[in-house]
Amino acid sequence: VLSVEYEFVELILNGEYRGIYCMTENMDRKQMKLKKYDEATSQLHGQLWKSKEWCYAVFMGTVPDNGGGSYYPKYSLSTPDGNSEEWDHYQVKYPDIEDVSPTDWSTLYDAINFVLNSSDEEFAGQVASCFDIPVVTDISIFISIVNGLDNRGKNILWAVYDKEQDKKLTPAPWDLDCTVGQEWLTEDIRGPEILFDWQIGLTNRHGVTCAINQIELHVFHCSTCITGQDVVILCVLTCS
């Protein structure tokens, strides 16, 4: 699993002590070892996108909630605009749209469209051509262990190392403020009784099932409400 370097620092601003902060590197092209844009040939290779808001496209799917509807209802994907920095709540992070325009949304679009519209059989048989399954497995285990409620759709970076060689998407989580028992609203700290609750950690929130959930279910045959046993299975599959 990719990780950034960090240091804890004490912040003093204009002579006023502001406390202890964690200063980290950015998850960017260099960190993810994406192949650089070829300026000589104007050829895109490595690409990086960031999901910005919860929505149908970011989750790559929804299922009905207990009330019979979906918190994020299904809709048809819009056609990406290569001259725009954003598409359907995704944002281009590399190459920067100011440096390379038009950009190419097709790799991300095709993967999302596949997840949204494929049958269970098609998904299980072809998902490995769209996603880097070993990395998805690592990320799934990591999110399960830290109980990352907010990192199974939004708060995920999707990258392709070199789309001219392989168009598999690989994920990297960011913004881990809703993990190990803490909500993203800092005043709302969940109690220790659900700190490592596998069911709460990976339940389809708001009736949502994301790509990572579906890979767990259809490729590794783990439940979408993952259990400690499922995590053991994923660890064994990863090491085998």
Side-chain angles (χ1 to χ4, degrees):
V1 176
L2 292 169
S3 178
V4 295
E5 297 291 332
Y6 69 92
E7 292 285 347
F8 288 105
V9 298
E10 292 184 286
L11 177 63
I12 299 174
L13 183 63
N14 297 327
E16 179 183 356
Y17 182 74
R18 294 295 185 90
I20 297 176
Y21 288 76
C22 183
M23 184 171 65
T24 69
E25 298 176 311
N26 288 324
M27 187 65 78
D28 53 17
R29 183 206 66 79
K30 183 178 179 181
Q31 288 291 332
M32 298 193 71
K33 298 180 173 61
L34 310 182
K35 187 173 180 178
K36 289 184 177 180
Y37 172 72
D38 191 333
E39 295 183 3
T41 62
S42 300
Q43 179 63 59
L44 283 164
H45 290 281
Q47 292 183 269
L48 181 64
W49 303 275
K50 174 183 175 181
S51 55
K52 295 187 63 181
E53 301 290 342
W54 300 108
C55 72
Y56 176 64
V58 166
F59 276 117
M60 304 189 197
T62 57
V63 295
D65 59 23
N66 293 333
S70 293
Y71 195 93
Y72 298 101
K74 180 178 180 177
Y75 58 80
S76 298
L77 294 178
S78 61
T79 301
D81 180 359
N83 294 306
S84 175
E85 182 184 28
E86 297 186 9
W87 166 70
D88 224 333
H89 296 299
Y90 287 94
Q91 179 183 35
V92 173
K93 300 302 291 183
Y94 180 81
D96 193 293
I97 195 72
E98 294 181 0
D99 299 326
V100 179
S101 183
T103 189
D104 182 5
W105 289 97
S106 64
T107 301
L108 180 66
Y109 176 91
D110 290 346
I112 294 174
N113 190 56
F114 166 76
V115 177
L116 294 180
N117 295 300
S118 59
S119 66
D120 290 349
E121 293 74 18
E122 290 170 335
F123 184 86
Q126 302 174 38
V127 66
S129 65
C130 295
F131 294 90
D132 189 339
I133 298 300
V135 177
V136 171
T137 306
D138 289 342
I139 295 300
S140 174
I141 294 170
F142 172 75
I143 293 173
S144 302
I145 291 172
V146 301
N147 205 12
L149 300 184
D150 214 19
N151 297 97
R152 302 187 71 80
K154 183 175 175 287
N155 296 348
I156 286 283
L157 293 161
W158 289 103
V160 59
Y161 292 109
D162 182 356
K163 74 182 191 69
E164 293 302 300
Q165 298 296 322
D166 191 337
K167 293 190 175 184
K168 292 188 184 74
L169 294 184
T170 190
W174 66 280
D175 191 6
L176 301 174
D177 59 353
C178 186
T179 55
V180 293
Q182 179 170 304
E183 286 282 4
W184 54 85
L185 299 175
T186 55
E187 65 269 19
D188 185 7
I189 307 299
R190 291 175 285 142
E193 69 277 3
I194 60 172
L195 181 60
F196 293 106
D197 188 328
W198 306 104
Q199 296 293 324
I200 291 176
L202 298 186
T203 295
N204 294 333
R205 306 181 69 231
H206 306 309
V208 167
T209 174
C210 68
I212 294 177
N213 289 122
Q214 295 187 54
I215 290 171
E216 291 167 350
L217 178 62
H218 296 295
V219 178
F220 298 118
H221 307 292
C222 298
S223 60
T224 52
C225 293
I226 209 163
T227 65
Q229 181 180 5
D230 290 332
V231 174
V232 173
I233 293 171
L234 287 170
C235 288
V236 171
L237 289 169
T238 303
C239 295
S240 62

